[in-house]
């Protein structure tokens, strides 16, 4: 894997730039100028070039955009890592008989990963899980599952929620990637990955490419083996502690259905992401596609917003995502919802805070329907 | 930050005879934000975009640097006006987008 992008110049006749283009040095040349060459190279190759008399200047792949986001987040109505913890704790403390705040793991930088368990008793047979913020910059994906937890607790004494919480459990983990989220708040609003320090200096693994079903089977822009890429799959499946935390929760609790929130684009995605082939099991396909289409209709019914139900790979190819793993490994209903907005023109990842509430409102009946289907007693 | 390193938000259109799926099938080191029928919206460094053009892999329509884009979006949210980041036609032809 290439490790750095460098601008190479030479002031020495013994090391002409043309030699870089013709010699079998295994370099990936990106740009050729009259006085320089830009190339991608392994660190050892760069060292070798320097030894040969070239001047090698490393170009950073990204530059943090220092901004006022630190205060903006709170002012704008989005949670931060700290306020989310406070609010989850407040919800749990306010409903001790049915809610429990559980640390399901720790992030790369040591932040606790919180999940709220909601249900009258531990160890119910039927459980459903909601996840948010695998991707740091997708702030709205924290707010929808958080508000779902709040809604369930506020309505725990009335039907249908009461019945669900008597017979099952709802697990809500609104922020799977707190390190990345904090980085978007303080340094680079459009950061996507976690904050893993990769070999050779780049930072971040894409948590939504790190799950162990068909992991690493693609090497494309949207599912990459290059550590500096935005969709870097990591060195191996489940290499990331955030992803292991989700894995362990799903595995230990035998979660019966998973809905993972992302943004943006307004889509309801069902497996597979790793292949264009449809799910083989006809009953599973019809059930998950049907659920996705029902969700599309439920969302539209609230504010008229169009979310489109489709197979995940129709968006683009992704190997190692959450829902391919939960369906592929556990055969449970597994959906990804890409929340508001529809396009970069409407803010893209930087969704104006006045859209948090309508976005939650339109997703509420869909989330409740997902719970209903997963927690419903088996037929027959 | 060097010039080649500045990040841009851009639309990539594959050349005649190639489709978006083919573009997605390559390892381009770009951050795909939106997929449309005939184009992608991506974030990528100036050097990466220049390389795509040089190799004839895509026509590149640069909308704004990442910093400009962020400022436009935040400004629009703050003022509530309809000023759009990027060119007015940028939303056309769009069925679907972004980031699983
Ligand atoms: Zn995402």
């Amino acid at each position: 894997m290439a490790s750095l992008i460098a601008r190479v110049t030479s002031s020495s006749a013994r090391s002409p730039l043309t030699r870089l283009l013709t010699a079998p040095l295994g370099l990936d040349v990106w740009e050729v100028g009259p006085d320089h060459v830009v190339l991608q190279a392994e660190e050892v190759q760069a060292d070798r070039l320097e030894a040969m008399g070239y001047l090698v200047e490393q170009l950073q792949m990204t530059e943090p955009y220092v901004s006022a986001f630190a205060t903006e987040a709170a002012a704008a109505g989005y949670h931060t890592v700290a306020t989310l913890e406070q609010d989850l704790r407040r919800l749990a403390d306010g409903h001790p008989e049915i809610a429990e705040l559980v640390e399901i793991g720790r992030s790369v930088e040591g932040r606790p990963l919180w999940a709220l368990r909601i249900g009258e008793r531990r160890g119910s047979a039927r459980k459903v899980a909601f996840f948010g913020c695998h991707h740091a910059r997708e702030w709205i994906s924290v707010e929808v599952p958080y508000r779902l937890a709040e809604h369930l607790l506020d309505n725990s004494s009335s039907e249908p929620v009461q019945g669900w919480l008597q017979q099952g459990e709802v697990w809500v983990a609104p922020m799977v990637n707190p390190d990345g989220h904090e980085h978007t708040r303080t340094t680079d609003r459009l950061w996507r990955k976690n904050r893993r320090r990769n070999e050779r200096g780049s930072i971040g693994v894409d948590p939504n490419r790190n799950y162990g079903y068909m992991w690493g089977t693609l090497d494309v822009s949207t599912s990459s083996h290059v550590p500096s890429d935005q969709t870097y799959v990591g060195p191996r499946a489940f290499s990331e502690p955030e992803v292991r935390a989700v894995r362990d929760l799903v595995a230990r609790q035998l979660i019966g259905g998973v809905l993972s929130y992302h943004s943006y684009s307004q889509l309801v995605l069902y497996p597979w992401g790793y292949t264009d082939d449809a799910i083989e099991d006809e009953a599973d396909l019809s059930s998950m596609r049907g659920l996705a289409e029902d969700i599309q209709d439920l969302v539209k019914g609230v504010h008229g917003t169009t979310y489109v139900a489709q197979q995940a790979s129709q968006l683009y190819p992704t190997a190692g995502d959450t829902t391919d793993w939960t369906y592929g490994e556990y055969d449970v209903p597994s959906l990804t919802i890409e929340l508001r907005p529809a396009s970069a023109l409407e803010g893209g990842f930087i969704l104006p805070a006045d859209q948090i509430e309508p976005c939650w409102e339109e997703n509420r009946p869909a989330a409740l329907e997902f719970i209903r289907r997963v927690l419903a007693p088996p037929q027959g | 930050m060097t010039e080649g390193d500045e990040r841009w938000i851009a639309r990539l259109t594959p050349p005649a005879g190639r489709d978006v799926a083919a573009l997605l099938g390559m390892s381009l080191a770009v951050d795909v934000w939106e997929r449309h029928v005939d184009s992608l919206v991506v974030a990528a460094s100036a050097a990466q975009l220049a390389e795509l053009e040089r190799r004839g892999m895509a026509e590149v329509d640069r909308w704004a640097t990442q910093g400009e884009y962020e400022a436009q979006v935040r400004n629009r949210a703050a003022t509530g006006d309809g000023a759009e980041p990027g060119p007015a036609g940028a939303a056309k032809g769009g069925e679907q987008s972004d980031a699983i």
Side-chain angles (χ1 to χ4, degrees):
Chain A
M1 289 300 149
S3 58
L4 57 86
I5 309 299
R7 185 173 190 275
V8 180
T9 52
S10 172
S11 55
S12 155
R14 86 179 162 90
S15 47
L17 285 172
T18 49
R19 193 170 151 205
L20 292 177
L21 307 177
T22 52
L25 298 167
L27 301 166
D28 182 11
V29 176
W30 286 30
E31 183 184 323
V32 181
D35 59 349
H36 75 277
V37 169
V38 173
L39 49 77
Q40 190 166 17
E42 301 278 347
E43 246 171 46
V44 288
Q45 291 175 314
D47 292 347
R48 189 163 156 225
L49 291 175
E50 283 182 328
M52 290 164 73
Y54 294 98
L55 185 68
V56 178
E57 175 200 1
Q58 183 173 353
L59 307 179
Q60 296 298 313
M61 288 299 290
T62 57
E63 180 76 11
Y65 292 92
V66 178
S67 69
F69 286 124
T71 51
E72 193 181 319
Y78 283 97
H79 279 98
T80 65
V81 171
T83 63
L84 179 69
E85 179 175 338
Q86 283 168 16
D87 283 350
L88 288 173
R89 209 173 279 290
R90 183 179 51 76
L91 289 182
D93 291 348
H95 305 81
E97 68 293 349
I98 48 167
E100 178 186 6
L101 189 58
V102 180
E103 184 182 320
I104 60 169
R106 292 245 163 180
S107 67
V108 166
E109 293 178 345
R111 292 188 174 84
L113 306 172
W114 297 114
L116 203 56
R117 187 194 68 80
I118 307 171
E120 285 193 7
R121 58 200 167 89
R122 254 189 175 283
S124 312
R126 305 195 69 78
K127 303 174 188 181
V128 56
F130 294 83
F131 298 104
C133 198
H134 274 75
H135 292 140
R137 62 195 176 189
E138 300 168 7
W139 288 5
I140 185 64
S141 75
V142 177
E143 303 308 323
V144 168
Y146 171 78
R147 277 162 177 73
L148 172 63
E150 191 174 50
H151 175 84
L152 293 173
L153 291 170
D154 286 348
N155 292 275
S156 59
S157 308
S158 52
E159 293 301 339
V161 176
Q162 185 172 28
W164 295 338
L165 300 182
Q166 281 166 350
Q167 60 185 278
E169 286 175 33
V170 182
W171 286 78
V172 184
M175 196 186 282
V176 171
N177 178 11
D179 296 351
H181 192 278
E182 193 65 5
H183 192 69
T184 61
R185 200 173 67 78
T186 58
T187 309
D188 178 358
R189 177 63 182 85
L190 293 173
W191 184 260
R192 170 181 170 96
K193 301 187 283 183
N194 74 354
R195 295 296 295 167
R196 158 79 63 200
R197 197 163 286 279
N198 299 320
E199 281 182 40
R200 301 202 184 93
S202 71
I203 292 185
V205 168
D206 185 336
N208 207 36
R209 300 291 184 275
N210 193 238
Y211 288 86
Y213 188 81
M214 293 293 163
W215 174 88
T217 54
L218 300 173
D219 191 4
V220 293
S221 300
T222 53
S223 202
S224 168
H225 287 259
V226 179
S228 58
D229 282 0
Q230 296 282 347
T231 56
Y232 175 44
V233 300
R236 62 194 167 277
F238 297 117
S239 58
E240 303 312 294
E242 297 88 352
V243 176
R244 289 198 298 274
V246 172
R247 175 196 66 186
D248 293 348
L249 174 67
V250 171
R252 285 176 189 155
Q253 299 296 331
L254 297 175
I255 298 292
V258 167
L259 203 168
S260 186
Y261 290 105
H262 286 254
S263 75
Y264 58 90
S265 67
Q266 298 174 192
L267 299 172
V268 187
L269 304 173
Y270 52 88
W272 303 111
Y274 82 95
T275 175
D276 286 336
D277 294 347
I279 290 168
E280 275 181 30
D281 185 304
E282 289 283 346
D284 285 356
L285 174 61
S286 121
S287 147
M288 256 185 301
R289 188 168 53 196
L291 184 50
E293 287 167 356
D294 289 349
I295 284 176
Q296 167 188 295
D297 295 343
L298 285 166
V299 169
K300 186 149 199 139
V302 178
H303 294 305
T305 316
T306 300
Y307 286 46
V308 177
Q310 64 182 42
Q311 183 171 330
S313 60
Q314 282 184 264
L315 173 55
Y316 46 57
T318 59
D321 97 322
T322 314
T323 52
D324 272 12
W325 174 70
T326 50
Y327 173 66
E329 187 72 26
Y330 294 100
D331 201 21
V332 298
S334 304
L335 297 178
T336 297
I337 295 187
E338 297 279 1
L339 297 164
R340 288 188 184 197
S343 73
L345 293 179
E346 297 163 81
F349 303 105
I350 311 176
L351 183 70
D354 61 9
Q355 302 227 5
I356 297 173
E357 204 54 34
C359 186
W360 154 240
E361 286 164 3
E362 71 198 5
N363 277 279
R364 181 171 56 210
L368 298 180
E369 176 63 11
F370 192 79
I371 295 173
R372 193 186 70 76
R373 297 254 189 126
V374 174
L375 297 188
Q379 300 295 312
Chain B
M1 181 161 61
T2 63
E3 206 173 293
D5 179 41
E6 190 165 34
R7 283 174 68 80
W8 286 77
I9 315 305
R11 179 186 289 281
L12 304 185
T13 308
R18 303 273 285 278
D19 61 12
V20 169
L23 205 54
L24 283 169
M26 292 183 274
S27 183
L28 300 178
V30 299
D31 180 7
V32 179
W33 285 18
E34 300 179 17
R35 178 185 187 167
H36 300 265
V37 169
D38 52 6
S39 66
L40 299 175
V41 174
V42 305
S45 72
Q48 286 163 338
L49 294 175
E51 175 63 7
L52 288 169
E53 284 177 317
R54 192 183 70 78
R55 292 190 178 178
M57 294 161 91
E59 186 185 306
V60 178
D61 175 17
R62 290 168 183 75
W63 290 2
T65 65
Q66 182 170 314
E68 289 165 356
Y69 171 78
E70 289 180 30
Q72 286 171 348
V73 169
R74 284 202 305 275
N75 185 46
R76 182 169 164 242
T79 60
D81 71 17
E84 293 177 342
K92 286 179 194 161
E95 282 74 34
Q96 54 183 240
S97 33
D98 185 48
I100 318 178

